[in-house]
């Protein structure tokens, strides 16, 4: 079994680690785009072109499925990716976990990039899945970039700024960018109101990984013996994990299989 994941940078680590935990024996192909990152400021057409190139580089390695480990790329490029690769390779996008978060009753805060916050895409998800629940959209200026570079000071500053925009009565936070899942504990500590029950965080990595395995008819077998290989593609060139990936537990989990360069 071979699962490919794509993103401009290390935001795909959360979903990659989730796949690794659900099926340790799966071979992994991680396709990143250091030459074109960040994708967020690009036009939808330009971003789609970059995403297609990264996806095709992964597809050349013959994966059974491809996970788009990026919310922004899912918004803009998922139809084009599916048109290009399916039905041969199922393509699984990453959508903010607004539906399960709203099921808890809220109030809910959605932490997302400034470009996604207030977008018709996110507003549509709120209308579809959070009707009747109090939802606050929180723009997280600079957080994805800080996480991408493992810049500790910048992460601290960005998390504190977003926490200041988050109402005190929030009980649930949706992590609306895959990078944020890598610093979930820091977000929890910054937002937790000491007089409220433990804050609930909703990321997408686990659900996306499970969906990819379901799409190819694979069972969830976390106790499977053996570890699959890890191939890293950097704008189509085979390489190693970017050094900042090792600042996170998800990256170190993969280092045990594929040495970083």
């Amino acid at each position: 079994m071979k699962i490919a994941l794509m993103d401009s940078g290390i935001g795909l680590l959360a979903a990659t680690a989730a796949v690794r935990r659900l099926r340790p024996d799966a071979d992994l192909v991680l396709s990143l785009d250091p030459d074109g990152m960040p994708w967020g400021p690009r036009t939808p057409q330009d971003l789609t072109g970059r995403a297609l190139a990264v996806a095709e580089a992964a597809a050349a390695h013959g994966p059974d499925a491809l996970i788009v480990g990026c919310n922004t790329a899912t918004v803009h490029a998922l139809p084009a990716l599916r048109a290009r690769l399916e039905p041969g390779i199922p393509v699984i996008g990453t959508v903010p976990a607004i539906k399960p978060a709203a099921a808890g009753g809220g109030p809910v805060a959605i932490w997302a990039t400034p470009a996604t916050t207030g977008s018709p895409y996110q507003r549509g998800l709120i209308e579809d899945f959070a009707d009747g629940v109090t939802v606050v959209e929180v723009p997280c200026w600079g957080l994805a970039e800080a996480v991408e570079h493992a810049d500790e000071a910048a992460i601290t500053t960005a998390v504190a700024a977003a926490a200041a925009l988050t109402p005190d009565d929030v009980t649930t936070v949706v992590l609306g960018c895959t990078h944020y899942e890598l610093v979930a504990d820091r977000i929890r500590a910054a937002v937790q109101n000491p007089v409220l029950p433990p804050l609930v965080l909703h990321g997408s990595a686990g659900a996306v990984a499970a969906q990819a395995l379901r799409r190819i008819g694979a069972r969830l077998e976390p106790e499977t013996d053996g570890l699959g290989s890890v191939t890293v593609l950097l704008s189509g060139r085979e390489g190693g994990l970017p050094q900042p990936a090792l600042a996170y537990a998800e990256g170190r989990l993969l280092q045990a299989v594929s040495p970083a360069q």
Side-chain angles (χ1 to χ4, degrees), residues 69-165:
C70 174
N71 296 91
T72 302
T74 298
V75 171
H76 296 297
L78 188 60
L81 292 168
R82 285 179 166 163
R84 183 72 58 89
L85 297 178
E86 291 187 342
I89 301 174
V91 180
I92 297 88
T94 300
V95 177
I98 294 172
K99 184 176 182 179
V108 175
I110 304 174
W111 282 34
T113 63
T116 298
T117 300
S119 66
Y121 166 74
Q122 184 160 288
R123 290 283 167 84
L125 292 175
I126 294 170
E127 291 174 6
D128 289 343
F129 300 121
D131 185 40
V133 176
T134 299
V135 176
V136 177
E137 297 179 90
V138 178
C140 302
W141 296 94
L143 181 53
E145 293 81 1
V147 172
E148 178 68 34
H149 296 99
D151 185 330
E152 289 295 317
I155 292 170
T156 298
T157 298
V159 167
L165 299 175

Side-chain angles (χ1 to χ4, degrees), residues 181-219:
E181 297 190 49
L182 302 178
V183 292
D185 288 345
R186 296 172 71 162
I187 293 171
R188 183 189 303 279
V191 177
Q192 177 67 57
N193 186 326
V195 303
L196 292 179
L199 187 73
V200 178
L201 297 183
H202 282 277
S204 301
V208 167
Q211 174 66 5
L213 294 172
R214 282 194 294 269
R215 285 284 302 275
I216 63 174
R219 295 183 179 180

